[in-house]
Amino acid sequence: MKQNQILLGILGGLGPMSTFRFCELLTAHTRATCDADHIDMIVSSRATTPDRTDFILGRSQKDPLPVMLEELRRLENAGADLIVIPCNTAHYFYHGLQRESQVPMLNIIEETVSFLKKGNVKRIGLLATEGTVQSGAYAEACQRMGIECLTPTEEEQGIISDIIYQSVKQNRPADTKAFARVAKNLQSRGCEKLVLGCTELSLLDRSEMPDDLFLDSLDVLAYKTILTCKKTPVGFEAKSNLFCNEVAK
């Protein structure tokens, strides 16, 4: 990466709404006194990328990786110095992308689990797509860090999947009460934090839930991206006490 201004490449569209929520987070939480203080970024929102969960679960033979590689090259050819992917499920293909990448890539799952480790969290509940859950990416990362990763029951996972695919992705109101019930059940199983391991879940209204129970992977990725782009992150402390601990260090 260059020593001066870093050009950020966002490999997005997975889904589109969470991609631009991520851009909003970067802009809202970068310390700035003028436009030029913000991160330079280029955004690929390839919404027609084949569904990641369907491919992971064998419900589709359409491999998302070739399409994602096309967008990776597009971003690199445009001069990107750093690549981020604001989608957890897409990180099933992370190593395939990383092998072809000419520039550094942040990993939302590794960054999130590392954040939990720094906060001395011992047990989490994972709220994510069925593809992310079945891939075991969070479970493996947590195991390496000495963290226990619990997942919803089959019925509860059905509720979470319905919220992601039938509500958020279709721009329809989500059943936040059902979401809260799943969250409460995981908390009753001893989970110290619930990880929003799907960036579509970042878009849910959680105003009536104990916000400090959650750690949003999209927030973590935004925080780490701002730092990696040599900017100063601000305002994350209100999102989770884990950010308070991080800032204090």
Side-chain angles (χ1 to χ4, degrees):
M1 290 185 292
K2 304 180 184 71
Q3 295 302 309
N4 49 9
Q5 186 83 349
I6 292 170
L7 179 59
L8 175 67
I10 300 175
L11 205 167
L14 317 167
M17 195 176 295
S18 56
T19 294
F20 290 98
R21 170 61 176 158
F22 178 69
C23 295
E24 181 183 11
L25 286 172
L26 293 178
T27 306
H29 291 286
T30 296
R31 179 176 291 165
T33 58
C34 63
D35 290 349
D37 290 337
H38 284 282
I39 296 170
D40 287 339
M41 66 180 84
I42 47 179
V43 182
S44 161
S45 185
R46 186 77 174 265
T48 53
T49 304
D51 188 87
R52 283 64 61 198
T53 289
D54 281 351
F55 181 79
I56 293 168
L57 298 181
R59 297 195 297 241
S60 169
Q61 299 303 308
K62 295 180 180 179
D63 188 350
L65 182 57
V67 178
M68 295 173 69
L69 283 170
E70 284 183 18
E71 296 311 303
L72 173 67
R73 295 188 184 101
R74 191 193 304 269
L75 292 169
E76 290 179 339
N77 290 338
D81 302 300
L82 174 71
I83 302 292
V84 295
I85 309 169
C87 171
N88 287 267
T89 311
H91 279 67
Y92 178 85
F93 309 95
Y94 176 85
H95 296 295
L97 291 164
Q98 188 183 46
R99 283 193 294 270
E100 300 293 329
S101 180
Q102 303 301 309
V103 299
M105 295 175 58
L106 294 181
N107 186 312
I108 191 172
I109 295 174
E110 296 291 339
E111 296 296 343
T112 300
V113 175
S114 177
F115 219 75
L116 293 161
K117 177 67 174 178
K118 290 178 182 178
N120 295 315
V121 176
K122 302 298 184 185
R123 178 182 288 182
I124 67 161
L126 177 62
L127 298 166
T129 65
E130 190 177 355
T132 296
V133 172
Q134 293 298 325
S135 75
Y138 266 98
E140 291 171 12
C142 283
Q143 185 176 34
R144 292 196 303 272
M145 295 285 186
I147 300 171
E148 186 177 3
C149 179
L150 303 186
T151 56
T153 65
E154 184 177 349
E155 179 182 354
E156 291 167 346
Q157 183 61 51
I159 292 171
I160 298 301
S161 296
D162 185 71
I163 288 172
I164 294 168
Y165 283 94
Q166 305 305 317
S167 297
V168 179
K169 284 185 179 291
Q170 297 188 32
N171 198 25
R172 295 176 175 175
D175 188 344
T176 54
K177 290 184 179 179
F179 178 83
R181 286 197 301 272
V182 176
K184 186 176 180 180
N185 288 344
L186 282 169
Q187 187 180 22
S188 71
R189 293 165 62 189
C191 294
E192 302 164 60
K193 293 289 181 182
L194 302 186
V195 172
L196 299 183
C198 172
T199 53
E200 254 93 13
L201 296 177
S202 305
L203 302 166
L204 288 182
D205 178 8
R206 304 193 309 276
S207 59
E208 296 184 8
M209 304 177 215
D211 199 51
D212 208 44
L213 174 62
F214 299 93
L215 179 65
D216 188 340
S217 62
L218 198 62
D219 287 339
V220 175
L221 183 63
Y223 180 85
K224 182 65 176 182
T225 299
I226 293 168
L227 286 175
T228 307
C229 289
K230 300 181 181 179
K231 303 293 184 180
T232 302
V234 294
F236 283 95
E237 297 91 330
K239 293 176 171 292
S240 170
N241 64 337
L242 294 181
F243 285 104
C244 298
N245 296 338
E246 181 72 13
V247 170
K249 295 175 182 178

